[in-house]
Amino acid sequence: MKLFSVFLPSILILLMSSAVNANTQLDASEAFDEMKSLVGVWKKEGKKSPNFSVIFELTANNSVLVEAWLFNDKKHSFTMYHLDNEKLIATHYCPQGNQPRLALSANSTINRLRFEFFDATNLANLSHSHQHSLGFEFSHDNNKMLRKESYLNGVKEDFSELQLVRNQ
């Protein structure tokens, strides 16, 4: 009986904490709604970069978010975000000619979205350079964000960050 009285509270605590974790996991549609708040024109923070901007816009009856990078007023690359049933997918159309697909990570939060590589088209070998991860950290004022990404080239992963501010 004493053993039961010791283990029962522990089991109840474990069950309650797993139920809380299941309820707090970010839903893909919630994450997509957060991504939709990015619609507009973004520039690098603190640097005069008139030749660079990132534009987010909705298309396909608001079911796809398009992220377009512009250099010297020419489109450089695109990333398309959309729901795929219970998943949020990002497909990056890279100037390298490949198209990595990334899925929203289970450890994402509403303020920190992280996408992880799961496959690619036109990528003959995973050792060839390709986008391998992508993430967004949103500020409280909704006019700043940190965009993180990594590219994998062979065994080396290169990370970069870009602090962006809303321009329009």
Side-chain angles (χ1 to χ4, degrees):
M1 185 69 174
K2 186 175 185 178
L3 186 63
F4 181 74
S5 65
V6 170
F7 283 115
L8 182 60
S10 299
I11 292 171
L12 287 174
I13 289 170
L14 282 172
L15 288 173
M16 288 172 31
S17 66
S18 64
V20 167
N21 285 338
N23 289 335
T24 58
Q25 186 173 11
L26 184 61
D27 179 78
S29 61
E30 288 177 279
F32 189 54
D33 286 343
E34 183 65 24
M35 294 286 304
K36 288 178 182 180
S37 73
L38 297 175
V39 168
V41 179
W42 296 77
K43 300 279 186 178
K44 290 180 185 178
E45 181 180 53
K47 294 183 180 177
K48 302 274 185 200
S49 300
N51 299 327
F52 172 79
S53 60
V54 179
I55 299 172
F56 288 89
E57 60 188 359
L58 290 166
T59 190
N61 197 27
N62 296 334
S63 67
V64 177
L65 179 68
V66 179
E67 174 187 2
W69 284 44
L70 279 73
F71 290 108
N72 296 321
D73 294 325
K74 292 183 181 172
K75 293 178 181 171
H76 178 70
S77 67
F78 290 96
T79 304
M80 307 286 196
Y81 304 88
H82 65 87
L83 292 170
D84 180 19
N85 296 312
E86 302 299 317
K87 295 188 288 188
L88 179 57
I89 304 295
T91 304
H92 177 65
Y93 296 86
C94 188
Q96 297 178 126
N98 56 45
Q99 300 83 33
R101 293 192 317 150
L102 304 104
L104 185 69
S105 170
N107 64 2
S108 292
T109 66
I110 198 69
N111 294 322
R112 299 179 105 201
L113 302 179
R114 178 164 168 73
F115 293 84
E116 298 173 346
F117 178 87
F118 74 89
D119 73 3
T121 58
N122 205 34
L123 184 66
N125 188 315
L126 285 179
S127 67
H128 297 160
S129 179
H130 64 278
Q131 187 179 50
H132 200 70
S133 69
L134 175 62
F136 296 89
E137 292 181 16
F138 302 106
S139 70
H140 297 291
D141 68 7
N142 216 20
N143 289 315
K144 284 186 177 184
M145 75 161 145
L146 181 63
R147 187 186 185 283
K148 299 179 175 186
E149 67 182 357
S150 72
Y151 276 77
L152 188 62
N153 190 1
V155 294
K156 185 178 180 220
E157 192 168 4
D158 294 317
F159 295 89
S160 65
E161 295 183 354
L162 188 58
Q163 185 71 48
L164 296 170
V165 292
R166 191 181 301 273
N167 193 44
Q168 295 178 1

